Amino acid sequence: MLNLIEGKKVKSRRRDSGVTFVLVILFATTMAFGCFGYSSTATVHAPIITGVYYDTYLKGDTDGEFIRIHNPTGSSINIGGWQITDYGEREGVITFPEWANISAGDSLYLAYNATAFYDEMFQEADFEYGVDSDSTPNMTKMDKQLKLANTGDEVILKNNEGEIIDVVIYGNSIYAGAGWTDAPVKDVAEGVILERDRNETSGEYEDTDSAEDWNDPRVYVVGQSHFSYETFSFYGNVTVFTSPDSSFSEIANAIDNAQESIYLNVYLFHNFYLMNHIIDAIERGVEVEIMLEGDPVNGIADDERYIANQTIATGGEVRFMMNDKDRGIHDRYAFNHAKYAIIDNEKTIVMSENWKNTGVPTNNTFGNRGWGVIINNPDVTNYFSAVFFEDWKPTSKDSFPFTSDDPIYGNKYGSPPLDFVPNRTIPTGNYSHPFDSEVIYGEFDVSPVLAPDTSLMQTKSIIGMIKGAKKSVYVEQLYIHKDWSSYADLKPNHFLEAAINASRRGCEVKILLNPTYSFERNHATIDYVRGIAANEGLNLDVKFIDIESTGLNKTHNKGVIVDCSKVLISSINWNEHSPTNNREAGLIIENEDVAGFYTDVFLYDWYNGSLPPEAIFDTGPGTYPSIFGMHNGTITLNQTITVSKLYTYPCTGTGGHSEHVRIWNSSGLDVTANWKGYKRDWHNISFSGSFTLKANETYNYTIKTGSYPQMHHNKTLTLPEGEIRCIKFTDANERVYCDWIPAIKLWT
């Protein structure tokens, strides 16, 4: 939990580790409590109950309880003499002192035990109502103490005249009085805070006096962060890369160029050759801090213990996010599953892959398919730095430092056995590694995505991106669960249903899954999606990646591309557990060149390690003379084709290309594409997504060319796929011709 919540400053009485930590947390606090629930148009004019923590981790349970109330108005409100109570035979009542106020837009935390509250939340309570544990102002208790039942209860806020201002009921409560309608809020699990939803656009709390105000799919475990969803717009550069092709070289290069600091949060770190680069960085004076998962599936490997030990011995720091319920340590996240690094507080590396031999392979003929990116922007880096130090903070019980031989845990979080010898064998395979990394310059909108903070937003983040798709959605995942939750309580997969609904809006949707992990779940998803596509006639397809043909070990990716203009790179799997219970990290980048890079990678995987089939309209090469200018004409097809690119045939030794393309007709199609300059394959110009040209329809085209493209000197050109006709060509010298046709290819 951050040290500033909903604009409320907190008096610190705990020691934090280091100036850097304090500065980063100060940045983090400006973004607290930004993940809001489903939208509501209700207007709130009085204090409301916004949080209830009733089923706590603490022994005896009650000491950990707290209630949060919030003033959503623009004015301070005196709440002296106001009361909070529950309902029934064991009714407890607590009363605010006469001087109590709640400032405009502020929140107050009411803790049963203020000391226990601080231990759990790392901030001071505003009032204490159960015991007198410290100097926190006390509320007055009436008769019985207010204790919240785990199975069901009520929290009722009354003003000083006894009028009910707000009510929340949960679990098996039978309350049927004023201030509430319909069924209680569904009971939450131990360690989970009952949180009121907030509108994603306005930030206002929902207030319909019903369970609908409390149904956000996010699970608010005590102690978790509440970072807001931010978008950072900038002109600059990013580096795009993919595994196995270039991930090792890019990450190693970033480490080797670090001058001041490397902060790494990764689920698994097993690659000894990446370790070598980390050790070299420490030895030249770079500060290194590494956060790892303390209880990964199959346990901590000796490889990772060895790497942690070498890092510590050289002068770095390593912490594990761990869990030990017997000792009262509960991890904030089920798994610390993120994969990101921050270099010199300037660069942020975000990946889908662990730092293993398969995820970041030393030899690029072998390994998993994964996506990665390096963002060179201080705002993005500051955001991820805040996340890193929020998770790292030594004051949190679950942030456990590596020691070679801990007196309690021995070498569970320590050194490998004395006879351990690292296996430095470099696996090789037959992957052809066709994708070099690229530095892309331009304008970017970058939006970090965190689980559980912002991963399940409905109008922004991943779901919002898919809901906004106009033409195409490409998904590549390790696995996708058709349904979420247990078999007895199935509910739709939010991500998958958003993709399916995109196809219902007319988008082309392709979903690529891995066959060697969670095969049965993936196969069920394939059957489900294909059934919908067949029944509804959708442009929707899903299949397994062909491991043998591509030469990949597997696809471990967790990526999405929308409209060939936005791309998600992340660690978030498409099950329920990952976005709701894990610490995950990713980002959405809006830039056509970035999305184009990953689109090429995706289509390579989709078409089994080859270029996609070119069901095309192709004029073939043209002849001289040549000059650039403006072409206007028509295309009439005898077959239906799908198009996403236009290729311009250049004259030998020139940069012949098209600078602007428009294709349209009277049936409503109207698409354009603009040249991106001399970078990547500049002879191709890409539309923002694919579109369909139908058989026996005539389409108008306008093509503005540059340099010296090839031409066909004909009025009409008849091809196997149809006919292209020149209406007018105006060259660079303003001369007009009616028999110059551009030498082009329309293809996907």
Side-chain angles (χ1 to χ4, degrees):
M1 187 69 65
L2 302 178
N3 286 343
L4 181 73
I5 298 183
E6 298 175 342
K8 183 180 185 305
K9 293 185 178 179
V10 179
K11 297 176 289 182
S12 176
R13 62 181 179 189
R14 294 294 176 92
R15 294 189 300 274
D16 292 326
S17 60
V19 175
T20 302
F21 174 74
V22 174
L23 291 175
V24 172
I25 288 300
L26 286 174
F27 173 83
T29 61
T30 67
M31 301 185 292
F33 275 83
C35 180
F36 310 133
Y38 299 114
S39 63
S40 170
T41 58
T43 302
V44 185
H45 299 291
I48 56 174
I49 301 157
T50 57
V52 183
Y53 186 43
Y54 59 85
D55 191 353
T56 80
Y57 285 138
L58 294 187
K59 185 177 181 180
D61 191 57
T62 302
D63 272 357
E65 293 178 357
F66 66 79
I67 299 165
R68 185 176 72 241
I69 64 172
H70 176 71
N71 176 7
T73 74
S75 303
S76 178
I77 299 175
N78 179 273
I79 54 173
W82 287 38
Q83 296 180 337
I84 290 183
T85 180
D86 56 0
Y87 169 79
E89 295 181 0
R90 296 185 57 81
E91 180 178 6
V93 180
I94 54 176
T95 305
F96 287 94
E98 291 300 322
W99 52 264
N101 282 278
I102 180 167
S103 300
D106 204 355
S107 294
L108 299 179
Y109 279 86
L110 323 176
Y112 187 93
N113 181 320
T115 301
F117 176 85
Y118 192 95
D119 288 340
E120 203 76 72
M121 300 287 286
F122 301 105
Q123 67 178 92
E124 292 183 354
D126 297 282
F127 292 95
E128 188 173 38
Y129 64 84
V131 298
D132 188 6
S133 69
D134 63 8
S135 59
T136 300
N138 291 319
M139 300 179 72
T140 303
K141 293 175 284 187
M142 305 272 299
D143 300 327
K144 302 180 179 68
Q145 287 187 329
L146 179 65
K147 295 183 178 181
L148 302 173
N150 291 347
T151 55
D153 215 332
E154 309 79 35
V155 181
I156 303 171
L157 175 65
K158 297 181 179 180
N159 66 15
N160 55 1
E161 296 180 356
E163 298 171 328
I164 292 178
I165 302 301
D166 195 33
V167 175
V168 57
I169 70 173
Y170 63 88
N172 62 9
S173 170
I174 59 172
Y175 178 85
W180 190 263
T181 59
D182 298 326
V185 180
K186 186 178 179 180
D187 189 24
V188 296
E190 180 187 40
V192 175
I193 304 169
L194 189 63
E195 289 269 352
R196 186 184 288 267
D197 304 341
R198 300 178 76 170
N199 182 284
E200 291 182 1
T201 303
S202 69
E204 294 180 353
Y205 282 105
E206 297 180 3
D207 189 21
T208 62
D209 297 331
S210 72
E212 291 298 310
D213 300 335
W214 305 79
N215 64 359
D216 192 325
R218 172 172 178 180
V219 177
Y220 290 85
V221 174
V222 67
Q224 289 181 345
S225 66
H226 293 70
F227 286 93
S228 61
Y229 187 79
E230 305 282 345
T231 297
F232 303 102
S233 301
F234 62 92
Y235 182 89
N237 69 85
V238 306
T239 301
V240 293
F241 62 90
T242 186
S243 284
D245 307 69
S246 54
S247 55
F248 183 89
S249 59
E250 285 299 331
I251 292 173
N253 182 65
I255 295 171
D256 291 345
N257 283 286
Q259 300 296 315
E260 298 177 359
S261 60
I262 298 171
Y263 305 132
L264 169 65
N265 190 343
V266 65
Y267 178 64
L268 298 172
F269 189 173
H270 296 174
N271 189 311
F272 298 122
Y273 292 94
L274 285 178
M275 176 199 72
N276 291 345
H277 290 272
I278 289 287
I279 298 302
D280 289 345
I282 297 171
E283 289 179 341
R284 64 175 184 269
V286 176
E287 175 191 10
V288 171
E289 296 180 350
I290 301 174
M291 190 80 185
L292 301 168
E293 166 57 35
D295 190 21
V297 176
N298 300 321
I300 301 173
D302 286 338
D303 293 354
E304 189 162 277
R305 292 191 180 93
Y306 178 84
I307 290 171
N309 194 46
Q310 294 296 108
T311 301
I312 294 294
T314 314
E317 294 185 69
V318 177
R319 285 183 171 271
F320 292 93
M321 188 171 286
M322 55 90 74
N323 185 57
D324 186 346
K325 294 181 180 179
D326 292 338
R327 297 183 61 238
I329 301 173
H330 301 269
D331 50 0
R332 288 161 284 173
Y333 308 97
F335 290 105
N336 177 38
H337 193 250
K339 302 114 170 46
Y340 68 90
I342 302 156
I343 310 292
D344 289 343
N345 293 312
E346 295 177 350
K347 297 181 179 181
T348 306
I349 305 173
V350 177
M351 289 191 68
S352 61
E353 300 310 293
N354 293 303
W355 286 27
K356 297 174 59 179
N357 292 326
T358 51
V360 188
T362 310
N363 182 289
N364 62 5
T365 65
F366 166 85
N368 298 342
R369 168 64 78 224
W371 295 351
V373 67
I374 302 175
I375 306 293
N376 296 292
N377 177 265
D379 295 328
V380 175
T381 299
N382 286 341
Y383 187 101
F384 278 96
S385 292
V387 177
F388 179 84
F389 284 106
E390 168 66 15
D391 293 347
W392 171 270
K393 60 186 179 188
T395 52
S396 184
K397 296 176 185 178
D398 65 350
S399 179
F400 188 81
F402 172 92
T403 52
S404 59
D405 189 13
D406 185 78
I408 296 176
Y409 298 105
N411 69 349
K412 179 178 180 180
Y413 303 105
S415 302
L418 294 175
D419 60 353
F420 174 77
V421 177
N423 181 359
R424 292 181 175 268
T425 302
I426 298 176
T428 60
N430 59 0
Y431 176 67
S432 62
H433 52 89
F435 299 104
D436 293 332
S437 60
E438 294 185 23
V439 179
I440 294 176
Y441 294 84
E443 295 182 353
F444 305 91
D445 289 333
V446 176
S447 305
V449 176
L450 299 177
D453 308 53
T454 61
S455 54
L456 285 175
M457 299 181 78
Q458 299 295 301
T459 63
K460 303 174 183 178
S461 193
I462 302 170
I463 296 171
M465 178 177 74
I466 298 173
K467 284 182 175 180
K470 299 293 190 295
K471 297 178 180 178
S472 61
V473 177
Y474 299 152
V475 179
E476 187 167 6
Q477 290 282 328
L478 173 65
Y479 61 88
I480 296 178
H481 291 177
K482 178 177 76 71
D483 300 300
W484 281 359
S485 198
S486 66
Y487 289 103
D489 183 26
L490 296 181
K491 50 189 173 184
N493 180 327
H494 292 252
F495 300 140
L496 179 61
E497 294 304 319
I500 294 171
N501 286 334
S503 71
R504 290 178 173 133
R505 297 194 306 271
C507 292
E508 173 198 19
V509 176
K510 297 183 185 296
I511 302 172
L512 194 58
L513 302 175
N514 185 73
T516 59
Y517 184 88
S518 196
F519 174 82
E520 291 184 359
R521 288 285 189 96
N522 276 348
H523 204 284
T525 298
I526 289 174
D527 289 344
Y528 170 68
V529 173
R530 285 180 175 174
I532 291 174
N535 290 336
E536 301 181 28
L538 303 177
N539 189 4
L540 168 66
D541 198 5
V542 57
K543 67 179 183 178
F544 286 124
I545 188 172
D546 189 328
I547 298 300
E548 184 175 348
S549 296
T550 59
L552 294 165
N553 182 57
K554 65 182 176 185
T555 179
H556 186 259
N557 198 17
K558 299 96 171 53
V560 181
I561 307 164
V562 166
D563 292 344
C564 296
S565 63
K566 297 179 182 179
V567 60
L568 167 73
I569 301 167
S570 83
S571 63
I572 302 171
N573 289 308
W574 280 22
N575 58 18
E576 182 181 26
H577 198 78
S578 183
T580 58
N581 294 314
N582 289 354
R583 163 59 87 214
E584 308 276 6
L587 45 77
I588 294 170
I589 309 172
E590 186 169 0
N591 176 275
E592 289 184 2
D593 291 322
V594 170
F597 174 86
Y598 296 106
T599 298
D600 289 345
V601 178
F602 175 86
L603 292 176
Y604 177 91
D605 296 346
W606 181 267
Y607 290 108
N608 305 326
S610 62
L611 293 175
E614 298 184 2
I616 325 294
F617 182 84
D618 189 354
T619 68
T623 60
Y624 289 95
S626 171
I627 189 171
F628 55 93
M630 185 75 73
H631 293 269
N632 287 279
T634 62
I635 295 173
T636 304
L637 299 169
N638 56 32
Q639 57 186 273
T640 298
I641 65 170
T642 299
V643 175
S644 64
K645 296 182 180 182
L646 179 142
Y647 175 80
T648 304
Y649 287 92
C651 291
T652 304
T654 75
H657 59 272
S658 290
E659 294 186 348
H660 174 78
V661 178
R662 180 188 177 200
I663 299 174
W664 78 101
N665 74 349
S666 59
S667 297
L669 178 74
D670 195 342
V671 295
T672 60
N674 293 298
W675 190 54
K676 301 300 181 182
Y678 289 108
K679 51 186 176 180
R680 303 188 70 194
D681 180 10
W682 67 79
H683 298 304
N684 277 299
I685 185 169
S686 296
F687 297 89
S688 58
S690 59
F691 59 93
T692 300
L693 298 180
K694 296 180 180 179
N696 302 315
E697 288 196 17
T698 297
Y699 298 88
N700 305 296
Y701 68 81
T702 295
I703 300 174
K704 180 183 178 182
T705 56
S707 189
Y708 289 92
Q710 296 185 34
M711 308 276 193
H712 291 277
H713 299 286
N714 304 82
K715 175 73 174 177
T716 301
L717 192 63
T718 301
L719 306 169
E721 302 88 2
E723 179 181 273
I724 182 169
R725 176 172 174 263
C726 172
I727 294 176
K728 182 174 73 171
F729 170 66
T730 306
D731 72 14
N733 299 313
E734 301 297 326
R735 291 189 291 264
V736 177
Y737 304 87
C738 61
D739 58 351
W740 286 38
I741 292 172
I744 58 169
K745 175 173 64 176
L746 292 168
W747 63 295
T748 297

